[in-house]
Amino acid sequence: MRPERRAHALRWHDKTRATQMEFGLWQVWEAGWVTAILRGASITILVGLVSMAAGLVIGIVCGLIKWARIFPLSLLVDAYTSLVRGVPELLIIYLLFFSSVEFVTKVVTAFGYAGVAESGYAFVIAVIAIGAISGAYSTEVVRGALGAIPNGHIEAARALGLSGGRIFRRIIAPQMLRIAVPGINNVWQTTIKDTALVSVVGLQELMRISFIGANSTRHPFIFYLIAAVVYLAITLVSQAGFDGIERLLRVRTRK
């Protein structure tokens, strides 16, 4: 091909690509996909928050059990954390969903709530699965934070005659929280990204909406790029929030 024709072909290709990009962005806005994407993002954040809350409860309880070495509960906690961290997150979601969806559907249908099984069960599975995953990692974060507290602080509190409850509230909990915040931040960031996996069970979160939009409009790059920007925005806002919490805890510790 002559250089002139090659240059003309390249210009035509770039112009066509730019036109497709412009058409794709306009189609996203004109067809109301922005509202759907924002709704999916809100569900993503909701799943992340509820799952993280459940994971923190699990992490604190299991972390205390591992730290205190309460037998035989510590063995069960070790098995739980090893199992969850050793199995891919997507496989955990599949196992939970397909092991229970048929039974739950039959039960709620028998009571006349078939719509609940279709709309709400995916959300429940998402929270249970992501909560169990974040709980396993939160357990190790809490256990590590408890292990980093100097034993001398606890022994000094006991020497002063403080009760176990007051030692936990005044000595253990504040230091544990300050040490654990960076690790909890990492667990939260991972939890938000793990919510993208629950699209496989039909939950209409951000990744699922992006997948539907990509297939409907045949502009996958546009929708997945928007999804990436939204995930990044959630991450940046979350990071700023955790940075503020860390600064606040440092100030309170100095006082």
Side-chain angles (χ1 to χ4, degrees):
M1 182 182 293
R2 293 181 180 180
E4 296 82 2
R5 292 184 178 180
R6 181 178 299 176
H8 177 74
L10 289 174
R11 285 195 299 270
W12 180 85
H13 175 73
D14 293 339
K15 184 178 180 180
T16 302
R17 187 175 181 181
T19 303
Q20 290 177 347
M21 179 70 73
E22 182 180 356
F23 175 75
L25 289 173
W26 176 253
Q27 188 178 27
V28 169
W29 178 266
E30 186 72 12
W33 284 107
V34 173
T35 302
I37 290 172
L38 292 177
R39 184 171 62 251
S42 65
I43 294 177
T44 290
I45 295 173
L46 179 61
V47 171
L49 289 174
V50 177
S51 301
M52 189 65 190
L56 282 177
V57 173
I58 295 172
I60 292 173
V61 173
C62 293
L64 286 169
I65 291 173
K66 291 192 71 171
W67 176 65
R69 298 177 183 176
I70 302 174
F71 185 84
L73 294 179
S74 59
L75 295 179
L76 295 176
V77 172
D78 285 336
Y80 158 65
T81 55
S82 299
L83 176 64
V84 172
R85 292 190 299 164
V87 177
E89 287 88 346
L90 183 60
L91 186 55
I92 293 175
I93 295 171
Y94 274 138
L95 290 173
L96 286 174
F97 183 78
F98 290 111
S99 64
S100 57
V101 62
E102 185 176 354
F103 171 76
V104 173
T105 301
K106 289 181 179 179
V107 171
V108 297
T109 302
F111 286 94
Y113 295 101
V116 176
E118 296 177 359
S119 60
Y121 188 62
F123 180 84
V124 174
I125 285 295
V127 169
I128 293 175
I130 303 299
I133 294 167
S134 65
Y137 289 97
S138 297
T139 296
E140 297 303 323
V141 171
V142 172
R143 183 195 60 79
L146 289 169
I149 299 174
N151 290 329
H153 293 185
I154 301 175
E155 293 174 358
R158 289 173 179 168
L160 293 174
L162 296 179
S163 63
R166 294 188 66 185
I167 291 175
F168 181 80
R169 292 194 305 270
R170 298 290 184 85
I171 307 298
I172 297 176
Q175 295 188 67
M176 178 193 71
L177 180 61
R178 178 176 55 83
I179 298 171
V181 165
I184 293 173
N185 180 18
N186 291 334
V187 175
W188 164 251
Q189 306 291 1
T190 303
T191 298
I192 282 294
K193 289 185 287 187
D194 284 346
T195 58
L197 299 175
V198 300
S199 62
V200 298
V201 297
L203 185 64
Q204 301 290 318
E205 43 73 60
L206 177 58
M207 198 64 191
R208 182 68 177 176
I209 294 296
S210 300
F211 175 78
I212 295 173
N215 287 343
S216 299
T217 63
R218 296 184 180 180
H219 286 79
F221 177 77
I222 298 294
F223 279 89
Y224 291 134
L225 177 62
I226 293 173
V229 171
V230 174
Y231 278 116
L232 181 60
I234 295 173
T235 299
L236 293 177
V237 172
S238 301
Q239 184 63 53
F242 275 99
D243 289 342
I245 293 174
E246 288 189 52
R247 287 193 297 269
L248 178 62
L249 291 175
R250 282 198 297 267
V251 171
R252 294 189 63 179
T253 301
R254 291 171 185 172
K255 292 181 179 180

